[in-house]
Amino acid sequence: MLKNKISLAVKHAFSAGVVSTALIYAPISAAEETKVDKDLEVISITGSRIRQPGAVSASPIISIGEKELGFQQEPEVEQILRSLPATVPGDGSNANNGSAGASTINLRGLGAERSLVLMNGRRMIPFNYDGEVDTSVIPSALIERIDLVTGGASAVYGSDAIAGAVNIVLKDDFQGVVFDAKHSETGEGDGDKDSFSLTLGSNLADDKGNVVLSLGWMKRDQILLGDRPLGLLGIETGSGANYQEFLNGEPPVPAPDACSGPNSVESGGSTTAFPTRFAIVGAGDTGSGQFRNDGTLAATDCSVFNFNPYNFYQTPSERYSATALGSYNITDDHQVYSSVNFTSTSVDTQVAPSGTFGAVFNLPLANPLIGDQARQFMLDGAAQALAAGTLDGTNWQDVNGNGVVDEADYLSVQLRRRTLELGARTERFDSTQFQLVTGMTGYFLDDWQYDVSYQYGESNRTTVRGGYTNLTNIQNALDTTDGVTCKNGDASCVPINLFGGFGTITEEMSGYAQAIALQQQKYSQEIFTATVNGSLDFIEIPGAGAPLAMSFGYEKRKEKGLFEPDECLKLAPASCQGGAGGNLQPISGGFSVDELFMEGYLPILDGLPGAETLDVEFGFRWADYDSVGSNETWKLGLNWRPVSDVLVRVMQQQATRAPNVGEIASPVVTGLDNARQDPCSKANKDDIDDALKQLCMSTGMSEAQVGSVQNVISGQVQVISGTDPLNAPGAEEASTFTAGIVWTPELDTLENFTITLDYYDIDIDDVIGEFSAQEILDACYERADTASCNKINRVGGALTIAGAGIEQFTVNKKNQRAEGIELGFNFSVMMEEMGELQFSGNVNKYLTQESQSGDLTPVIDCKGKFSTSCDPVSELRWVQRTSWVWEDLTMSLQWRHIDGVDMELSQAANSFEKFRSIESYDYFDLFASYHATENIIVNFGIDNILEKEPPVVGGEAGSTRANSGNTFPSNYDVLGRKFKMGIKVQF
């Protein structure tokens, strides 16, 4: 009895108002309700804990069924979800620089931290202290369906469900044995992805329960930017440099012989190059220049470093997983259940070799590794700076006190040298994740259901970072006057030669100059939940057809996060790892929350003209955090069926998100953030008027430094970030509204016809985050905002030197909003002997996609835009599938449409004209499946059949994580045509 009640409820959990890219599930009609078994009538759906007859959803739900999952032939859940119009790509296999080595979901472009990820209606354990879930740990072989609920679901599931919730529903009553093998590779013969899974399930004796075990393995091979023509060379977004060479199929133009070396090019790269670039701190262009391979130093720059080829278009990864599910009926009315999931993953990211990146060094002019001509160049430049007043005790150590810069003295200098001899910079993320759920459910008082459960999850991650320069050791190695020993007296110190081209750093020098660092992260989550739900028979509106259905519950949740970097990474203002972007400090924190919640479903009318049914859905949750205090969330919805084949649904909700561990417990550290330009740098010297000059000087520059310091490097600037100990952020609040219509007519020519049209409006206040570096720069230098100017800290007049930075503490910002319309449809055509044609689709159109950090900052409108502030957000996206099913053969064609986007206006003015817009993109994917025997199914697929090339926008058009290889590799197919093959054996 209990098995039927529970398993059948789950099977029909998405029976109403659900849109799928494979199949749109229509609401159960009144006529159908009378035909089903009593055990089928009382069901629950994602987005509610209520069980009620003929359940329908007042919130829009997109559901990806098992059939669509089979069409995708994809072992990574994130890859499936990113193609949905409701999502914007987050972290994943095509994110490299800035990736956390995970796969995240970003609903409605509102951030992964605002998309709650569930498994069987229960929270999944986050992989980091930012509370984000790594979807790569989901056992894909066990997925029955994936439900995406639009709008705030906090009244049902608690914090974080502001944009919505993603519920991964697993098969919990599986019987038999299934072996599933998948392989994919690109048309170039690379990027292989292989996966195997073995799933076994059986009912217990006398159908007392069920046990399921699923084991899985997946391996993903790397694809470097250098493996594709588009990624061979950095194309400059601002000037378009190297774009024509790419179009012509020409290789990167190498630097002149005097500055030659591996990946040393004329343009399209980093100013941290080789040979070394030299500058006296605070002296502007006076005395600055670039070395040549022969050790001479000239005032003209002759090369940049092409960092592109080293990065990944597809990061390599390997994953092992094991999942066990079990249930046992103690009696007809009481059942115990449990599930255990364990996953081990390894992900590698890689960027170009490290360097000194303009770090400040105290350089003895008597260093014998400096050539005579180069030393005289430095002396002459220092003398000019002294005369100009830009050389003083802050950047010059007059050792002999003679008031003249000579060989006995020290200068504070910036050396931009790419340390190619140390190899590429790598980060390896090794993670294990464990989650246990155990509980008991059953019935009392005849039809009231209880459910008591305990779950514990733990995520452990070790990150090893190699190939970086050890800045402390390099400083020691530069401080030599004999070229053999270092003045610090350390016998292991090897003097280093940075005063020339490739090869001046020997193997012995590399051994002392490099740094390998380790960081560890642990996150734990503990949840106790108790719920009861059933019908209050004494509360029934006459003629409504059913009484009030209610659910009551209590939840206790504890979350703890721990981050521990090694001593190398802790060093301030920059770690010992040059090129790592600042320093890191330990994080240790957590929070505990007690929550009481209730839901109700009240039928109002039934069987009346113009009101076949009219039901009201409501809910309330009270939460008490030990970190931010108490808050309340609620929902109120209406389901109205004027006639049997039309459903109108409306839902208003108040949602919340409490700050995560990283937002309440992060220490102040330095790092990097995206910025287009330093308005006070030499890149903008021709546009600096008197007003701007005064503002520049107000942020710590001398008059001589204005217009002469280094601009931001590779679109990044130094920042100072963390939790403000005097002003910790509070919780976010969101008002979400959805309204829609579901039409399920009975048609003679079309089967299973369903069409849904929904409007959504998600409006978030007190958004937790940081003002971007560009917002602060603009507020200071364009709007003369004193508070913003006070956040800009310069060293030697620059923002690129260690210790400099823009303060961007975690705060409550003003607002973020996503508004749009979503259309879903499904129908099929029977063709008698020729089988069946099935059509389905999902379309999303944004009406609003914007944010505003503060009252004095402009609104950032990301609808139909891309920029450093907006990952591409197409105004219109759709996915449509047409399938032909004939006996044992299934063939399916998927059409993915991405509307064109334009560069944000504030950024477009200083960008190459052809990079200011991206045209609409249409991809077509083909799938075929054949039942070779009763037990064997073979699958074949081709993604991007037409081999559509990705758009070209250069390397500074977007954020570092999203914009890589001169394009947006997570938003557009960068790998070309992809072939997929699979075989499934089942008994």
Side-chain angles (χ1 to χ4, degrees), residues 226 335 532 547 705 830 877:
Q335 180 189 77
V532 295
Q705 291 169 343
M830 303 303 296
R877 285 180 63 195

Side-chain angles (χ1 to χ4, degrees), residues 544-761:
L548 172 66
M550 291 293 297
S551 173
F552 303 93
Y554 166 76
E555 186 168 282
K556 174 75 172 183
R557 178 161 54 98
K558 294 182 179 180
E559 304 202 17
K560 296 179 181 179
L562 175 68
F563 173 75
E564 185 61 46
D566 67 9
E567 294 303 316
C568 161
L569 296 174
K570 294 177 185 178
L571 297 176
S575 76
C576 72
Q577 290 198 320
N583 71 320
L584 299 172
Q585 292 294 333
I587 297 175
S588 180
F591 60 85
S592 175
V593 56
D594 292 278
E595 299 180 278
L596 295 171
F597 52 89
M598 56 81 70
E599 284 186 83
Y601 194 91
L602 178 64
I604 303 297
L605 300 174
D606 182 62
L608 298 179
E612 287 280 330
T613 60
L614 179 64
D615 308 313
V616 173
E617 179 180 340
F618 57 90
F620 178 82
R621 177 180 287 254
W622 175 83
D624 184 23
Y625 287 83
D626 63 2
S627 56
V628 293
S630 63
N631 59 52
E632 298 83 30
T633 60
W634 54 267
K635 68 173 183 176
L636 179 62
L638 177 72
N639 292 304
W640 170 44
R641 194 184 298 276
V643 293
S644 61
D645 55 7
V646 175
L647 172 69
V648 178
R649 56 190 182 190
V650 180
M651 176 69 80
Q652 177 72 51
Q653 300 190 64
Q654 184 75 21
T656 188
R657 185 178 81 86
N660 56 49
V661 174
E663 290 165 338
I664 61 176
S666 290
V668 176
V669 296
T670 58
L672 297 173
D673 190 22
N674 295 107
R676 297 187 297 271
Q677 187 184 75
D678 177 358
C680 303
S681 70
K682 58 185 177 181
N684 192 48
K685 62 181 179 181
D686 294 334
D687 295 320
I688 298 177
D689 56 20
D690 289 338
L692 178 54
K693 179 185 290 187
Q694 292 304 315
L695 289 170
C696 294
M697 293 172 64
S698 75
T699 56
M701 302 183 77
S702 67
E703 185 174 0
Q705 291 169 343
V706 176
S708 64
V709 299
Q710 177 74 32
N711 189 27
V712 300
I713 302 173
S714 300
Q716 293 181 313
V717 67
Q718 296 270 26
V719 295
I720 302 168
S721 61
T723 302
D724 186 344
L726 302 178
N727 187 27
E732 298 177 349
E733 299 289 341
S735 174
T736 70
F737 176 77
T738 59
I741 186 169
V742 182
W743 184 35
T744 56
E746 294 287 340
L747 302 175
D748 295 334
T749 56
L750 302 178
E751 300 283 336
N752 302 315
F753 184 91
T754 302
I755 188 166
T756 67
L757 182 64
D758 288 285
Y759 165 82
Y760 61 87
D761 186 2

Side-chain angles (χ1 to χ4, degrees), residues 188-202:
E188 301 292 329
D190 58 8
D192 290 20
K193 186 187 296 184
D194 295 288
S195 67
F196 300 96
S197 65
L198 177 64
T199 305
L200 307 94
S202 174

Side-chain angles (χ1 to χ4, degrees), residues 402-691:
N402 62 2
V404 177
V405 182
D406 54 31
E407 199 170 315
D409 296 343
Y410 282 73
L411 290 178
S412 293
V413 301
Q414 286 181 280
L415 299 173
R416 298 186 185 279
R417 207 307 190 153
R418 186 70 62 160
T419 52
L420 189 64
E421 295 89 341
L422 275 61
R425 284 170 288 170
T426 61
E427 286 193 78
R428 181 178 178 87
F429 303 91
D430 290 317
S431 306
T432 59
Q433 181 168 303
F434 166 81
Q435 187 154 349
L436 165 71
V437 178
T438 186
M440 183 172 181
T441 186
Y443 289 83
F444 65 100
L445 299 178
D446 189 30
D447 63 352
W448 276 76
Q449 183 187 34
Y450 71 89
D451 191 305
V452 179
S453 66
Y454 171 81
Q455 70 180 82
Y456 177 79
E458 188 173 295
S459 175
N460 294 278
R461 165 172 291 204
T462 300
T463 305
V464 179
R465 300 162 53 152
Y468 291 81
T469 51
N470 187 320
L471 296 178
T472 302
N473 283 7
I474 288 178
Q475 172 62 76
N476 294 336
L478 287 170
D479 194 5
T480 179
T481 54
D482 61 10
V484 178
T485 60
C486 304
K487 296 190 72 174
N488 68 347
D490 183 356
S492 66
C493 179
V494 180
I496 191 168
N497 186 353
L498 300 182
F499 313 110
F502 178 67
T504 61
I505 300 177
T506 66
E507 185 175 346
E508 292 76 14
M509 294 176 185
S510 296
Y512 183 72
Q514 67 178 322
I516 297 175
L518 181 74
Q519 60 190 47
Q520 293 182 308
Q521 190 168 194
K522 178 178 179 179
Y523 199 91
S524 65
Q525 182 185 73
E526 189 175 14
I527 305 175
F528 170 78
T529 307
T531 64
V532 295
N533 61 77
S535 298
L536 298 176
D537 295 336
F538 60 90
I539 301 178
E540 180 176 348
I541 296 176
L548 172 66
M550 291 293 297
S551 173
F552 303 93
Y554 166 76
E555 186 168 282
K556 174 75 172 183
R557 178 161 54 98
K558 294 182 179 180
E559 304 202 17
K560 296 179 181 179
L562 175 68
F563 173 75
E564 185 61 46
D566 67 9
E567 294 303 316
C568 161
L569 296 174
K570 294 177 185 178
L571 297 176
S575 76
C576 72
Q577 290 198 320
N583 71 320
L584 299 172
Q585 292 294 333
I587 297 175
S588 180
F591 60 85
S592 175
V593 56
D594 292 278
E595 299 180 278
L596 295 171
F597 52 89
M598 56 81 70
E599 284 186 83
Y601 194 91
L602 178 64
I604 303 297
L605 300 174
D606 182 62
L608 298 179
E612 287 280 330
T613 60
L614 179 64
D615 308 313
V616 173
E617 179 180 340
F618 57 90
F620 178 82
R621 177 180 287 254
W622 175 83
D624 184 23
Y625 287 83
D626 63 2
S627 56
V628 293
S630 63
N631 59 52
E632 298 83 30
T633 60
W634 54 267
K635 68 173 183 176
L636 179 62
L638 177 72
N639 292 304
W640 170 44
R641 194 184 298 276
V643 293
S644 61
D645 55 7
V646 175
L647 172 69
V648 178
R649 56 190 182 190
V650 180
M651 176 69 80
Q652 177 72 51
Q653 300 190 64
Q654 184 75 21
T656 188
R657 185 178 81 86
N660 56 49
V661 174
E663 290 165 338
I664 61 176
S666 290
V668 176
V669 296
T670 58
L672 297 173
D673 190 22
N674 295 107
R676 297 187 297 271
Q677 187 184 75
D678 177 358
C680 303
S681 70
K682 58 185 177 181
N684 192 48
K685 62 181 179 181
D686 294 334
D687 295 320
I688 298 177
D689 56 20
D690 289 338

Side-chain angles (χ1 to χ4, degrees), residues 134 136-137 317-320 343-347 429-432:
D134 183 2
S136 67
V137 305
S317 175
E318 189 168 17
R319 178 185 74 202
Y320 296 88
T343 307
S344 174
T345 61
S346 294
V347 178
F429 303 91
D430 290 317
S431 306
T432 59

Side-chain angles (χ1 to χ4, degrees), residues 959-983:
S959 65
T960 303
R961 179 190 57 77
N963 179 205
S964 178
N966 303 311
T967 188
F968 292 98
S970 294
N971 300 76
Y972 301 92
D973 289 0
V974 294
L975 308 182
R977 190 178 291 121
K978 184 186 295 185
F979 296 91
K980 298 179 177 181
M981 294 148 279
I983 183 170

Side-chain angles (χ1 to χ4, degrees), residues 318-395:
E318 189 168 17
R319 178 185 74 202
Y320 296 88
S321 64
T323 303
L325 307 171
S327 61
Y328 181 76
N329 297 331
I330 302 173
T331 68
D332 285 346
D333 286 331
H334 302 281
Q335 180 189 77
V336 292
Y337 59 87
S338 186
S339 66
V340 180
N341 173 250
F342 175 82
T343 307
S344 174
T345 61
S346 294
V347 178
D348 291 300
T349 63
Q350 175 180 292
V351 294
S354 188
T356 55
F357 294 96
V360 176
F361 298 104
N362 202 23
L363 178 67
L365 292 173
N367 187 322
L369 300 177
I370 303 173
D372 292 339
Q373 183 274 340
R375 181 180 294 105
Q376 190 59 50
F377 183 96
M378 296 177 186
L379 289 168
D380 292 344
Q384 294 175 36
L386 182 62
T390 57
L391 194 72
D392 54 31
T394 64
N395 51 6

Side-chain angles (χ1 to χ4, degrees), residues 186-360:
T186 73
E188 301 292 329
D190 58 8
D192 290 20
K193 186 187 296 184
D194 295 288
S195 67
F196 300 96
S197 65
L198 177 64
T199 305
L200 307 94
S202 174
N203 282 345
L204 302 178
D206 300 323
D207 287 339
K208 284 285 189 179
N210 181 268
V211 291
V212 181
L213 174 65
S214 183
L215 305 174
W217 171 83
M218 187 210 74
K219 185 177 181 181
R220 182 179 70 220
D221 289 349
Q222 71 180 40
I223 297 180
L224 291 165
L225 267 60
D227 294 331
R228 296 292 186 271
L230 179 57
L232 278 174
L233 176 65
I235 299 173
E236 295 181 5
T237 300
S239 67
N242 296 311
Y243 177 56
Q244 191 59 49
E245 287 79 1
F246 161 71
L247 294 178
N248 296 340
E250 299 172 0
V253 178
D257 290 342
C259 299
S260 62
N263 286 301
S264 185
V265 294
E266 281 191 353
S267 62
S270 170
T271 56
T272 299
F274 57 79
T276 306
R277 291 195 178 193
F278 169 87
I280 300 172
V281 174
D285 290 332
T286 303
S288 66
Q290 186 170 9
F291 279 87
R292 294 337 190 226
N293 290 337
D294 62 4
T296 59
L297 181 55
T300 56
D301 297 330
C302 62
S303 70
V304 291
F305 181 75
N306 179 21
F307 54 82
N308 259 35
Y310 297 90
N311 291 257
F312 289 132
Y313 269 138
Q314 177 172 285
T315 57
S317 175
E318 189 168 17
R319 178 185 74 202
Y320 296 88
S321 64
T323 303
L325 307 171
S327 61
Y328 181 76
N329 297 331
I330 302 173
T331 68
D332 285 346
D333 286 331
H334 302 281
Q335 180 189 77
V336 292
Y337 59 87
S338 186
S339 66
V340 180
N341 173 250
F342 175 82
T343 307
S344 174
T345 61
S346 294
V347 178
D348 291 300
T349 63
Q350 175 180 292
V351 294
S354 188
T356 55
F357 294 96
V360 176

